[in-house]
Amino acid sequence: MLKKRSFYIGFRDVILALHGFWLPCLLAWQDISVRYKRSKIGQFWLTLNTLVYISSLGLIFGTLFRLKLHEYLPNICAAILTWNFINSSISDGCLAFINSDSVILQVNLPFFMHIIRTVARNLIIFGHNIVIYPIIAIFVGYSINFHVFLIIPGIFFILINLLWVCVILSVLCTRFRDLHQVVTSILQIVFYATPVVWDVKVLPSTVSPLLFEMNPFYNFIDLVRQPLMGHSPHTNEWLFCGILAVVGWCVALCILGKYKRRIAYWL
């Protein structure tokens, strides 16, 4: 009975936040605008920095491992762009309530609005950075086909999973402040354990495919990388991310509903 009540409280908070989703989205845009207020290039400094990073990393690793840059550069570009979006969303999501403490203590808003603001801010940055892919694809002569439109449902699946992850982590990190550092360290390890800068084809035949197929981050990245590379993501990847979203949201709503009244006291 208590779990049902917690689920209902969390669900109601999310619904109220979605009714006024324009507010956190507007605040997310303002966050980026304020950061680059007096800059000549503005938000596109993010794009320029990412372009230099991807190009350097791609050329170094591609030359080092004697890979075909025609395929490797677009591949690593799509993977890193998606990883940066996921990584920054989770990292910022840990501090969503902590960074919004002044608002939470003064204005009665649904807590999920602060999660939307965090993820929306990183989605806007991802939107700025995605223009890097066609630039690199044209530079190396890699063609893009109609599968690229599958990036839209791919991003949607990533979003619905990122939101529940941020809900859980924001509550836990508000209560246990050191947890954010732990999450940051884990994400660094996951980056190297996930096929982002390396390809699954380099793994020896003795390694089971389940090692990366059961990695949620690999599936998230593939939902964007495969369409950009001209392929359709595997059906199992769609199912995996869909089931993960359902289970994750059930847990997240229960946690949010149970601890919602305590968050203000933890700030």
Side-chain angles (χ1 to χ4, degrees):
M1 188 67 180
L2 183 60
K3 289 183 179 180
K4 289 183 178 180
R5 186 170 180 273
S6 297
F7 182 89
Y8 172 76
I9 293 173
F11 181 76
R12 187 170 180 273
D13 186 273
V14 170
I15 294 299
L16 289 174
L18 291 176
H19 282 167
F21 76 97
W22 58 269
L23 177 60
C25 291
L26 184 63
L27 292 173
W29 182 265
Q30 185 184 33
D31 290 341
I32 299 175
S33 299
V34 169
R35 188 187 304 178
Y36 298 94
K37 188 175 182 180
R38 299 192 179 186
S39 173
K40 295 288 185 181
I41 303 179
Q43 296 92 325
F44 284 98
W45 270 117
L46 299 167
T47 306
L48 183 61
N49 292 336
T50 308
L51 175 61
V52 173
Y53 173 70
I54 291 174
S55 301
S56 303
L57 201 63
L59 290 172
I60 292 171
F61 276 90
T63 305
L64 194 62
F65 295 109
R66 299 178 182 179
L67 300 171
K68 297 179 180 179
L69 294 181
H70 168 71
E71 295 181 355
Y72 182 67
L73 270 176
N75 190 304
I76 194 177
C77 176
I80 288 180
L81 289 176
T82 310
W83 168 261
N84 285 348
F85 169 51
I86 295 171
N87 178 60
S88 58
S89 294
I90 294 176
S91 183
D92 292 350
C94 292
L95 304 175
F97 296 154
I98 297 173
N99 291 337
S100 302
D101 57 347
S102 59
V103 178
I104 292 174
L105 295 175
Q106 296 181 51
V107 185
N108 185 21
L109 291 175
F111 282 88
F112 189 62
M113 275 194 175
H114 306 293
I115 304 297
I116 296 177
R117 177 182 180 179
T118 300
V119 177
R121 181 171 62 242
N122 288 287
L123 181 61
I124 293 170
I125 295 173
F126 176 76
H128 278 92
N129 291 341
I130 197 64
V131 299
I132 296 174
Y133 184 83
I135 293 174
I136 290 181
I138 293 172
F139 177 76
V140 300
Y142 195 88
S143 59
I144 301 174
N145 58 31
F146 67 92
H147 281 111
V148 71
F149 293 106
L150 290 175
I151 192 178
I152 298 174
I155 292 174
F156 173 76
F157 270 77
I158 294 174
L159 279 175
I160 59 175
N161 278 285
L162 283 178
L163 287 169
W164 71 257
V165 171
C166 290
V167 168
I168 295 175
L169 289 179
S170 60
V171 174
L172 295 179
C173 289
T174 303
R175 178 63 181 88
F176 306 101
R177 299 300 175 95
D178 294 333
L179 186 59
H180 176 239
Q181 301 301 326
V182 176
V183 173
T184 302
S185 299
I186 292 174
L187 287 173
Q188 291 177 350
I189 298 172
V190 171
F191 173 75
Y192 293 107
T194 304
V196 179
V197 296
W198 55 274
D199 198 301
V200 294
K201 296 177 183 178
V202 303
L203 291 174
S205 57
T206 54
V207 178
S208 173
L210 290 175
L211 182 66
F212 56 87
E213 288 177 357
M214 296 305 292
N215 180 347
F217 295 94
Y218 169 77
N219 289 275
F220 294 157
I221 291 173
D222 242 26
L223 292 184
V224 173
R225 175 169 52 189
Q226 291 300 330
L228 289 176
M229 295 297 294
H231 309 292
S232 176
H234 198 277
T235 306
N236 291 339
E237 293 174 338
W238 296 109
L239 289 174
F240 181 88
C241 294
I243 294 172
L244 188 65
V246 173
V247 175
W249 268 109
C250 289
V251 176
L253 291 177
C254 289
I255 291 177
L256 179 61
K258 183 177 181 180
Y259 298 106
K260 180 181 178 180
R261 294 185 178 181
R262 304 183 189 181
I263 293 174
Y265 296 97
W266 293 340
L267 294 172

